[in-house]
Amino acid sequence: MSDQVRSDTRLSSVSRDVRDQIADLQADYIAALDSQDMKGWLASFDENNSSYFCRSKENEDEGLEVGYMFDDCHERICDRVKFVDEIWAGTFEEYQTRHFLQPTRCKSLGEDLYSAQTNFTVMYTDDAGITKVLASGCYDDEIVVNGVARLRSRKAVLDTNVVPRYMVYPI
Amino acid sequence: MDARVTGGMDLNWPEPGVCDAVPYGVFNEREVYDREMERIYQGPTWNFLGLAVEVPNAGDYKSTFIGDIPVVMTRDDDGNIYAWENRCAHRGALVIRDSCGSSDGSHTCVYHQWSFNNKGDLIGVPFRRGLGGNGGMPDDFDMKENPVRKIRTEDYKGAVFGTFDWDMEDVDSYLGGDSVVNGHVKRIFNRPVKVLGHARQYIDSNWKFYAENTKDPYHASLLHLFHMTFGLYRSSQTGGVRLSNDWNSVLFSESGTDDEKAMEEIDDAHLRTFQSDYSLEDMSLLAGRAGEWNDNTTLVILSIMPSLVIQQIQNTLAVRQILPKSESEFELVWTFFGYEDDDEELTNIRLKQINLIGPAGMISMEDGESSVICQQAISRSRNARNVLQMGGRTPEDQDHLVTESTIRGFWKKYRELMAY
Ligand code: FES
Ligand SMILES: [Fe+2]
């Protein structure tokens, strides 16, 4: 990466206020998921227009759109909440997640839209109390910031190409 | 034969020919697993290696496994696909170390740079004649006698199979020739396919718990509440099971065909039940496109043992490759595909509906879990037996979905191959 590009996408390239709002959004997002609060997860997305994709790096690198989760409109993000909370309820073995984030890049896309990259590691603990890594990867986001930050689109790209067992909750 | 591969003979098997129960020892003993690697995976079976479109050009390769044995499939200049064990003929290193790629037609082991062509023949040995008069291979060292271990392959309508058994019948006969099972394979591979992507999941269970699951129409409407709720699949629908060569099977159904009386019986059974009044915010997920194959079939699960599942659920198409890793672990590799001539709208329908399947799929997530909870339960149950009597006691074709007939077929063939 050239010096020019690096300085344009550094976290410090956007105002402290914007950074704070984005940090709040990221914190709310993982706090919701780590307490299995799917409605809280939903609240992180822009209700007028948003999308959520979760896919492996293997597919991303080959330009293949297939994902573990492919919610290309806000309506389907809402539906995912219903699947987990109501339809699947009681059929899967609960697992506790812990998300750990590290923002790496941020850039203004004009008006109130920003792009951001954030590394993540997600640990999970099963019923037997054993903790393992669920996934490691990077969020590639577009975020609307206007007094409060909301996700316009989130793409969770997993370096973890072989996931353990199954995934119920989004990353 | 390897001394270790006599395991499982002393298990509490039912009488010969009886296949409505098996002892749990088959699911968690290393000796049984070793015997499977010998008698099934290196025996008279066709194993799925990949789709032909994954190696479109000469020199392209893909590494995968037969059982737990690393293998490579490559396409040669002659247009054919070849496969060989991914073990260098010199001192055993992996020749191919990445999952797929392209080459100039020679594959060089990194360790001492022996190289092999697409067919697996040895074509280069550095310092073969020595250096400055020193060293080198003996004069009678014959390159021709040192290929990698070759695997017989067949490209069957775009699905590539491999076998270590050079006397095997061809794939068409293995799938049952004119059988309904093979008819469903031909239906899905009726035109050129294109790969949409992959998914991989690692499951802490014996591969046979999953094999049973893919042959089990009984569980599908009970475990998968999404199916039930949205009517994608219910036991009350028109459908059935067919077998070929005992352990290859297909289960198929048509949504929207629920038998009313059967629906009432489901209601009366007070199952962990579904609410039929659910609606989705985005109904386009389920709308799909009808009639792609000029029929009403909305669900096809082909279970081609020992390593392959081919599926159509609504408009999704996928192959799932079952790769055993030990007696209590396997990896499941999903390859999602569509057809080369899909229009953009159809590709989008498939991408959207892939939400239904894969490791986070609305109707396949639970299958991984069901295999795991079986494995967890049987740790000390080697001679206890399961019960496989739904729909009868023999393997047979049936015109309904309330059956374990195809699972009985699996065990019948399994006992035969394993000589139990
Ligand atoms: S092990 Fe492959 S060249 Fe020596
Ligand atoms: Fe299932």
PDB file of all heavy atoms in Angstrom, chain B residues 355-368:
ATOM      1  N   ASN B 355     -29.173 -19.474   1.053  1.00  0.00           N
ATOM      2  CA  ASN B 355     -29.455 -19.251   2.474  1.00  0.00           C
ATOM      3  C   ASN B 355     -30.090 -20.474   3.138  1.00  0.00           C
ATOM      4  O   ASN B 355     -30.032 -20.630   4.352  1.00  0.00           O
ATOM      5  CB  ASN B 355     -30.439 -18.083   2.637  1.00  0.00           C
ATOM      6  CG  ASN B 355     -29.741 -16.738   2.656  1.00  0.00           C
ATOM      7  OD1 ASN B 355     -28.794 -16.536   3.398  1.00  0.00           O
ATOM      8  ND2 ASN B 355     -30.209 -15.827   1.827  1.00  0.00           N
ATOM      9  N   LEU B 356     -30.746 -21.293   2.336  1.00  0.00           N
ATOM     10  CA  LEU B 356     -31.436 -22.456   2.903  1.00  0.00           C
ATOM     11  C   LEU B 356     -30.466 -23.572   3.258  1.00  0.00           C
ATOM     12  O   LEU B 356     -30.756 -24.418   4.098  1.00  0.00           O
ATOM     13  CB  LEU B 356     -32.471 -23.008   1.905  1.00  0.00           C
ATOM     14  CG  LEU B 356     -33.574 -22.058   1.441  1.00  0.00           C
ATOM     15  CD1 LEU B 356     -34.398 -22.707   0.337  1.00  0.00           C
ATOM     16  CD2 LEU B 356     -34.478 -21.699   2.613  1.00  0.00           C
ATOM     17  N   ILE B 357     -29.324 -23.613   2.571  1.00  0.00           N
ATOM     18  CA  ILE B 357     -28.434 -24.775   2.700  1.00  0.00           C
ATOM     19  C   ILE B 357     -27.033 -24.344   3.136  1.00  0.00           C
ATOM     20  O   ILE B 357     -26.783 -23.159   3.319  1.00  0.00           O
ATOM     21  CB  ILE B 357     -28.390 -25.586   1.384  1.00  0.00           C
ATOM     22  CG1 ILE B 357     -27.902 -24.704   0.234  1.00  0.00           C
ATOM     23  CG2 ILE B 357     -29.778 -26.137   1.067  1.00  0.00           C
ATOM     24  CD1 ILE B 357     -27.771 -25.429  -1.096  1.00  0.00           C
ATOM     25  N   GLY B 358     -26.135 -25.297   3.316  1.00  0.00           N
ATOM     26  CA  GLY B 358     -24.790 -24.985   3.779  1.00  0.00           C
ATOM     27  C   GLY B 358     -24.737 -24.964   5.295  1.00  0.00           C
ATOM     28  O   GLY B 358     -25.726 -25.234   5.975  1.00  0.00           O
ATOM     29  N   PRO B 359     -23.547 -24.627   5.847  1.00  0.00           N
ATOM     30  CA  PRO B 359     -23.327 -24.715   7.297  1.00  0.00           C
ATOM     31  C   PRO B 359     -24.234 -23.808   8.118  1.00  0.00           C
ATOM     32  O   PRO B 359     -24.453 -24.048   9.303  1.00  0.00           O
ATOM     33  CB  PRO B 359     -21.867 -24.268   7.461  1.00  0.00           C
ATOM     34  CG  PRO B 359     -21.249 -24.446   6.124  1.00  0.00           C
ATOM     35  CD  PRO B 359     -22.339 -24.268   5.111  1.00  0.00           C
ATOM     36  N   ALA B 360     -24.766 -22.735   7.506  1.00  0.00           N
ATOM     37  CA  ALA B 360     -25.676 -21.859   8.236  1.00  0.00           C
ATOM     38  C   ALA B 360     -27.057 -21.916   7.604  1.00  0.00           C
ATOM     39  O   ALA B 360     -27.877 -21.030   7.805  1.00  0.00           O
ATOM     40  CB  ALA B 360     -25.156 -20.424   8.223  1.00  0.00           C
ATOM     41  N   GLY B 361     -27.326 -22.964   6.836  1.00  0.00           N
ATOM     42  CA  GLY B 361     -28.561 -23.040   6.060  1.00  0.00           C
ATOM     43  C   GLY B 361     -29.790 -23.245   6.922  1.00  0.00           C
ATOM     44  O   GLY B 361     -29.768 -23.989   7.900  1.00  0.00           O
ATOM     45  N   MET B 362     -30.875 -22.598   6.521  1.00  0.00           N
ATOM     46  CA  MET B 362     -32.119 -22.683   7.285  1.00  0.00           C
ATOM     47  C   MET B 362     -32.587 -24.128   7.433  1.00  0.00           C
ATOM     48  O   MET B 362     -33.336 -24.453   8.341  1.00  0.00           O
ATOM     49  CB  MET B 362     -33.257 -21.940   6.570  1.00  0.00           C
ATOM     50  CG  MET B 362     -32.884 -20.633   5.974  1.00  0.00           C
ATOM     51  SD  MET B 362     -32.728 -19.404   7.209  1.00  0.00           S
ATOM     52  CE  MET B 362     -32.152 -18.027   6.294  1.00  0.00           C
ATOM     53  N   ILE B 363     -32.234 -24.975   6.464  1.00  0.00           N
ATOM     54  CA  ILE B 363     -32.706 -26.354   6.531  1.00  0.00           C
ATOM     55  C   ILE B 363     -31.580 -27.366   6.441  1.00  0.00           C
ATOM     56  O   ILE B 363     -31.803 -28.527   6.138  1.00  0.00           O
ATOM     57  CB  ILE B 363     -33.713 -26.654   5.402  1.00  0.00           C
ATOM     58  CG1 ILE B 363     -33.128 -26.214   4.072  1.00  0.00           C
ATOM     59  CG2 ILE B 363     -35.041 -25.978   5.669  1.00  0.00           C
ATOM     60  CD1 ILE B 363     -33.964 -26.634   2.909  1.00  0.00           C
ATOM     61  N   SER B 364     -30.345 -26.956   6.715  1.00  0.00           N
ATOM     62  CA  SER B 364     -29.306 -27.980   6.741  1.00  0.00           C
ATOM     63  C   SER B 364     -28.399 -27.813   7.941  1.00  0.00           C
ATOM     64  O   SER B 364     -27.620 -28.688   8.266  1.00  0.00           O
ATOM     65  CB  SER B 364     -28.474 -27.962   5.457  1.00  0.00           C
ATOM     66  OG  SER B 364     -27.871 -26.708   5.304  1.00  0.00           O
ATOM     67  N   MET B 365     -28.523 -26.655   8.610  1.00  0.00           N
ATOM     68  CA  MET B 365     -27.731 -26.402   9.804  1.00  0.00           C
ATOM     69  C   MET B 365     -27.920 -27.529  10.814  1.00  0.00           C
ATOM     70  O   MET B 365     -26.961 -28.030  11.406  1.00  0.00           O
ATOM     71  CB  MET B 365     -28.172 -25.043  10.368  1.00  0.00           C
ATOM     72  CG  MET B 365     -27.563 -24.595  11.641  1.00  0.00           C
ATOM     73  SD  MET B 365     -28.349 -25.247  13.110  1.00  0.00           S
ATOM     74  CE  MET B 365     -29.915 -24.398  13.140  1.00  0.00           C
ATOM     75  N   GLU B 366     -29.163 -27.994  10.959  1.00  0.00           N
ATOM     76  CA  GLU B 366     -29.453 -28.988  12.004  1.00  0.00           C
ATOM     77  C   GLU B 366     -28.838 -30.354  11.712  1.00  0.00           C
ATOM     78  O   GLU B 366     -28.669 -31.166  12.617  1.00  0.00           O
ATOM     79  CB  GLU B 366     -30.963 -29.170  12.171  1.00  0.00           C
ATOM     80  CG  GLU B 366     -31.723 -27.913  12.563  1.00  0.00           C
ATOM     81  CD  GLU B 366     -32.369 -27.233  11.364  1.00  0.00           C
ATOM     82  OE1 GLU B 366     -31.780 -27.277  10.260  1.00  0.00           O
ATOM     83  OE2 GLU B 366     -33.446 -26.638  11.520  1.00  0.00           O
ATOM     84  N   ASP B 367     -28.543 -30.640  10.431  1.00  0.00           N
ATOM     85  CA  ASP B 367     -28.002 -31.954  10.100  1.00  0.00           C
ATOM     86  C   ASP B 367     -26.614 -32.156  10.703  1.00  0.00           C
ATOM     87  O   ASP B 367     -26.270 -33.248  11.157  1.00  0.00           O
ATOM     88  CB  ASP B 367     -27.949 -32.155   8.585  1.00  0.00           C
ATOM     89  CG  ASP B 367     -29.341 -32.281   8.001  1.00  0.00           C
ATOM     90  OD1 ASP B 367     -30.204 -32.892   8.652  1.00  0.00           O
ATOM     91  OD2 ASP B 367     -29.566 -31.771   6.895  1.00  0.00           O
ATOM     92  N   GLY B 368     -25.807 -31.088  10.694  1.00  0.00           N
ATOM     93  CA  GLY B 368     -24.489 -31.173  11.313  1.00  0.00           C
ATOM     94  C   GLY B 368     -24.636 -31.481  12.793  1.00  0.00           C
ATOM     95  O   GLY B 368     -23.961 -32.342  13.346  1.00  0.00           O
TER      96      GLY B 368
END
